[in-house]
Amino acid sequence: MSELFSWQRVVANFPVLIVKLPVTFEIVAVSFSLGFILALLIATARIKKIPVLNQILTVFISFERGTPLLVQMLVVYYALPILLYSLFGIDTRRWEKIIFVDLALILNQGVFLGEIFRGAILSIPRGQREAALACGFSDFNAFVKVVLPQAARVALPATGLTLIGLFQETSLVFMIGVIDIIGRAAALGATTGHNLESYLIIAFLFVMINFALTAITTKIDKNLTYGAKSVRTGAA
């Protein structure tokens, strides 16, 4: 058993793997933040049902929701350079591979978060907005000050789960040549012939990240819903 697994290799591999963790955090930060902005635009366009754009988004959403993320990454990685060169003469051969990863994840996050936001906004009764308008609020202020805070409470749990899932989805990026923590583990396994120790380290790190994100989103959710719970239960 000692030939198959060694705690010494775990200790030795940890610093080698941990240096690539910032790459994973960078991918998640860029993809989630820009995907969040894209999601707001998608949700708005879908709610307003803008002609033509709504139909295009329906097809695009069906593609993103109906295909594996790896396929989406490969489509962006191989098809986007051809499209850019054919239409605009842009040569992407010098672009870093992480750019294509970010683009694929931004589109993916934009779709899934957009549907979450759209559902959350539509779940707020129309009477809330109408009451705000009757009180003298403008349409914009009624949305921002009345509808949006309530929608945020509804969307937060699913948004947190999407963020946690994004960390797990970054395990696919090494498939197109981006050396993150998973890619470094694969390289270590190929050179040493031992994979278990590296993947146990990665499993531990991802579980810790999951616990941290879950605790943060749970805390935020409790803070956001405290007032609402007090009103419903009649608490002081």
Side-chain angles (χ1 to χ4, degrees), residues 135-163:
C135 291
F137 283 77
S138 66
D139 191 62
F140 177 79
N141 284 335
F143 177 76
V144 172
K145 296 182 178 180
V146 177
V147 177
L148 193 59
Q150 297 179 78
R153 297 190 187 105
V154 176
L156 181 62
T159 302
L161 289 175
T162 302
L163 177 58

Side-chain angles (χ1 to χ4, degrees), residues 23-68:
V23 177
T24 299
F25 280 111
E26 178 186 349
I27 293 171
V28 170
V30 171
S31 302
F32 189 79
S33 57
L34 295 182
F36 190 95
I37 296 173
L38 177 61
L40 293 175
L41 298 176
I42 290 176
T44 301
R46 292 270 284 165
I47 290 172
K48 292 184 176 297
K49 296 182 179 180
I50 301 174
V52 181
L53 179 58
N54 187 51
Q55 285 71 25
I56 293 173
L57 286 175
T58 299
V59 175
F60 176 62
I61 290 169
S62 297
F63 171 78
E64 289 287 321
R65 297 176 69 174
T67 57

Side-chain angles (χ1 to χ4, degrees), residues 51-140:
V52 181
L53 179 58
N54 187 51
Q55 285 71 25
I56 293 173
L57 286 175
T58 299
V59 175
F60 176 62
I61 290 169
S62 297
F63 171 78
E64 289 287 321
R65 297 176 69 174
T67 57
L69 179 59
L70 179 58
V71 172
Q72 298 169 24
M73 287 184 182
L74 293 174
V75 168
V76 171
Y77 183 66
Y78 288 110
L80 184 61
I82 297 174
L83 185 64
L84 290 177
Y85 188 77
S86 300
L87 296 179
F88 308 106
I90 299 175
D91 187 356
T92 61
R93 286 177 293 181
R94 294 182 179 273
W95 288 16
E96 295 184 8
K97 294 179 180 179
I98 196 171
I99 294 176
F100 298 99
V101 167
D102 287 338
L103 286 174
L105 289 173
I106 288 168
L107 294 175
N108 182 269
Q109 291 295 295
V111 164
F112 282 90
L113 288 175
E115 289 299 281
I116 291 172
F117 297 163
R118 182 174 73 93
I121 292 171
L122 292 177
S123 70
I124 307 304
R126 293 176 60 89
Q128 298 279 344
R129 175 178 170 276
E130 293 171 356
L133 293 175
C135 291
F137 283 77
S138 66
D139 191 62
F140 177 79

Side-chain angles (χ1 to χ4, degrees), residues 16-17 19-24 26-27 97-98 101 170 172-188:
V16 178
L17 294 173
V19 296
K20 286 296 181 180
L21 191 58
V23 177
T24 299
E26 178 186 349
I27 293 171
K97 294 179 180 179
I98 196 171
V101 167
T170 59
L172 298 173
V173 303
F174 86 101
M175 297 293 291
I176 63 173
V178 176
I179 306 300
D180 66 335
I181 191 171
I182 303 290
R184 178 56 65 87
L188 277 177

Side-chain angles (χ1 to χ4, degrees), residues 185-205:
L188 277 177
T191 56
T192 65
H194 297 279
N195 296 291
L196 180 58
E197 293 85 355
S198 295
Y199 289 121
L200 283 177
I201 293 171
I202 293 172
F204 171 77
L205 291 174

Side-chain angles (χ1 to χ4, degrees), residues 150 153-154 221 224-236:
Q150 297 179 78
R153 297 190 187 105
V154 176
D221 186 47
L224 287 176
T225 57
Y226 176 77
K229 287 181 179 179
S230 297
V231 171
R232 287 196 300 266
T233 60

